[in-house]
Amino acid sequence: STHLLTEIEVFLNAISPLRCPPEQPHSCTLPTGAILFKLRKLSTETNLYCTLTQSIASYLTNLQNNFDDLERELKAEYQNLHRFLEMEEDMDMERLRKEREKRVKVLREREKKVAEQGKDLERAIETLNSKLKEEDSLKLLKDIKDLLKRQVNFIPPAAESCEVQSGQFIGPLQYRIWKHMKKFLYPNISSLMFDPDTAHPLLHLSPSCSSVWFEESKEDTPAAAKADSPRRFNYYYCLMGNKGFTHGRHYWEVEVGQKTAWRVGVAREDVHRGEMDFCTTANGLWTLAFRKGNIQACTHPCPTTVRVSLRPTRIGVFLDCEKEEVSFYNALNMTWLFSFSMGTLLLPLFPFFNPCDTDEGKNSDPLTLFSPSL
């Protein structure tokens, strides 16, 4: 397009000095300026079109590559599960094989003992029959007495059942496998507690530091006693978890129940403890919030509405430090809700919680860290 524009400019500049015949002074007037302006505008738009086309092609390539990477990762995760199940199957089949060999061996030995005693009985019968054919009565009586002294008694071996108890090898197999899988889960459920040293003075914690709720008056609580702690939130009703993460993958669940407002997610270690212009990703907070009946991802500069068909009562938070991503799930059915890409992480990330105020008694239920028992 630039080459074409240059040629047209040269042409217009070449013909513009030409004079028209005196009898037709306006017959060949050329609006060269307007034409050149229009051509330059078209050239600019054409360049923009080419740039946009290249960008879309590049985005498509990157998108395809990202999906290819995810497909490989997903297959690898399932292959790990398949390997685990194959190992469990091999161990169960080996246990079954050994038990079969043991039980068959016992029955074979029983069969052998019965056969040996049967042969002894047959020999005794043959001997007795042969003696009965002898004509010497005195000798017959003596031999019979000797034979009776050596009498062969048939002693049946102990009975052996052919029944195999399925509970020994199957039973609640899926539950048993699930229990065994616990040690292979990655990420496993992170063992967390609320950190009382970060709790706003009006937040109350259970003795186990696993539940937190808002209270208007807390003069006698540890949080109130340490209200001047630099780690304590002093404006928003927030607190952090007791563990920070810089690497690996971590997952935890928070019971939100029927609360009318809550906020959970992760925060940078240095997140501001006082009032902030934006409680969003711009200030080191990656959170999901529930308020006014809607779930929102606290994105910057405006929140993003998360549409759900079923209001979650328990939220799962998955932090992948290597991929610099945090994702949220409805923990009851593991439906994905939202994911944040966090960018380069230079400081530890801590679980972040806000039970919000009581909303005139409608939001008095606590936030509770949920620890599933596998």
Side-chain angles (χ1 to χ4, degrees):
S1 61
T2 304
H3 179 67
L4 177 62
L5 176 62
T6 303
E7 290 185 351
I8 293 175
E9 280 188 288
V10 171
F11 172 74
L12 290 175
N13 290 331
I15 65 172
S16 59
L18 297 178
R19 300 288 183 181
C20 295
E23 64 276 10
Q24 295 177 327
H26 304 293
S27 62
C28 58
T29 302
L30 293 174
T32 56
I35 293 174
L36 288 173
F37 175 79
K38 184 64 175 178
L39 285 171
R40 289 192 180 96
K41 185 173 184 296
L42 289 173
S43 176
T44 301
E45 291 176 350
T46 302
N47 289 335
L48 179 61
Y49 157 77
C50 293
T51 302
L52 185 58
T53 301
Q54 292 173 355
S55 297
I56 292 174
S58 176
Y59 289 158
L60 280 173
T61 300
N62 291 335
L63 183 66
Q64 295 284 18
N65 290 338
N66 288 337
F67 272 105
D68 288 343
D69 291 342
L70 282 175
E71 183 176 333
R72 283 190 291 270
E73 186 176 351
L74 189 61
K75 285 183 177 179
E77 291 287 346
Y78 272 102
Q79 285 172 357
N80 288 336
L81 289 175
H82 291 324
R83 277 194 291 270
F84 168 78
L85 291 175
E86 287 170 359
M87 288 171 54
E88 289 289 321
E89 180 184 0
D90 290 344
M91 287 190 290
D92 279 349
M93 295 301 289
E94 180 66 12
R95 284 197 309 119
L96 188 64
R97 183 188 65 78
K98 288 183 176 179
E99 184 66 17
R100 180 203 291 263
E101 290 179 352
K102 175 184 172 183
R103 297 283 295 276
V104 168
K105 181 180 179 182
V106 170
L107 279 176
R108 294 292 187 199
E109 291 175 351
R110 185 170 185 264
E111 182 183 39
K112 182 179 178 181
K113 288 180 180 179
V114 170
E116 289 175 352
Q117 292 191 70
K119 289 179 181 179
D120 291 341
L121 288 173
E122 288 176 358
R123 284 194 293 270
I125 292 172
E126 289 177 0
T127 301
L128 184 58
N129 285 332
S130 65
K131 295 297 181 183
L132 290 174
K133 293 177 182 179
E134 294 181 3
E135 296 180 356
D136 189 342
S137 300
L138 292 175
K139 186 175 183 303
L140 174 61
L141 289 174
K142 182 178 181 302
D143 289 344
I144 288 177
K145 286 180 180 180
D146 293 339
L147 182 62
L148 291 176
K149 289 179 181 178
R150 303 193 308 269
Q151 181 180 358
V152 177
N153 294 320
F154 178 73
I155 304 174
E160 181 69 24
S161 173
C162 64
E163 185 179 3
V164 180
Q165 300 293 337
S166 67
Q168 183 179 357
F169 300 98
I170 301 177
L173 185 141
Q174 294 183 14
Y175 181 74
R176 175 164 55 85
I177 297 300
W178 180 40
K179 298 278 280 188
H180 290 178
M181 191 179 288
K182 179 182 178 181
K183 58 188 174 188
F184 293 99
L185 288 178
Y186 181 71
N188 209 325
I189 303 295
S190 297
S191 176
L192 287 178
M193 293 189 300
F194 294 121
D195 183 357
D197 291 340
T198 64
H200 185 279
L202 294 182
L203 292 181
H204 187 88
L205 276 71
S206 64
S208 62
C209 291
S210 60
S211 292
V212 61
W213 60 94
F214 175 85
E215 279 192 3
E216 291 289 350
S217 178
K218 291 178 70 274
E219 291 82 1
D220 58 342
T221 62
K226 298 181 180 179
D228 57 345
S229 170
R231 299 178 56 229
R232 187 174 308 286
F233 288 93
N234 54 58
Y235 187 84
Y236 302 103
Y237 306 133
C238 306
L239 75 166
M240 288 183 170
N242 66 329
K243 292 182 181 179
F245 306 108
T246 56
H247 61 276
R249 296 190 290 177
H250 310 275
Y251 178 77
W252 59 93
E253 295 182 356
V254 188
E255 196 84 49
V256 297
Q258 299 301 319
K259 289 178 66 63
T260 60
W262 48 261
R263 189 174 182 184
V264 299
V266 296
R268 277 201 323 254
E269 183 181 33
D270 65 345
V271 68
H272 190 54
R273 270 34 176 194
E275 186 177 5
M276 291 179 270
D277 294 334
F278 300 99
C279 295
T280 63
T281 55
N283 284 325
L285 286 164
W286 295 269
T287 57
L288 208 65
F290 181 74
R291 52 194 168 204
K292 297 181 180 179
N294 294 314
I295 296 178
Q296 293 182 327
C298 300
T299 49
H300 185 79
C302 298
T304 301
T305 299
V306 177
R307 305 194 182 280
V308 295
S309 57
L310 182 66
R311 174 180 167 181
T313 57
R314 190 189 309 154
I315 300 296
V317 185
F318 174 53
L319 173 63
D320 190 332
C321 294
E322 272 65 44
K323 291 189 176 180
E324 299 171 343
E325 184 177 283
V326 61
S327 300
F328 298 85
Y329 302 85
N330 179 341
L332 296 184
N333 56 18
M334 293 310 294
T335 301
W336 174 79
L337 299 175
F338 193 82
S339 292
F340 289 95
S341 294
M342 298 180 290
T344 303
L345 302 174
L346 301 177
L347 292 170
L349 294 173
F350 282 78
F352 175 88
F353 313 91
N354 184 344
C356 301
D357 61 33
T358 57
D359 190 18
E360 298 179 348
K362 292 180 285 187
N363 193 41
S364 57
D365 290 344
L367 283 181
T368 300
L369 291 169
F370 181 79
S371 298
S373 56
L374 298 179

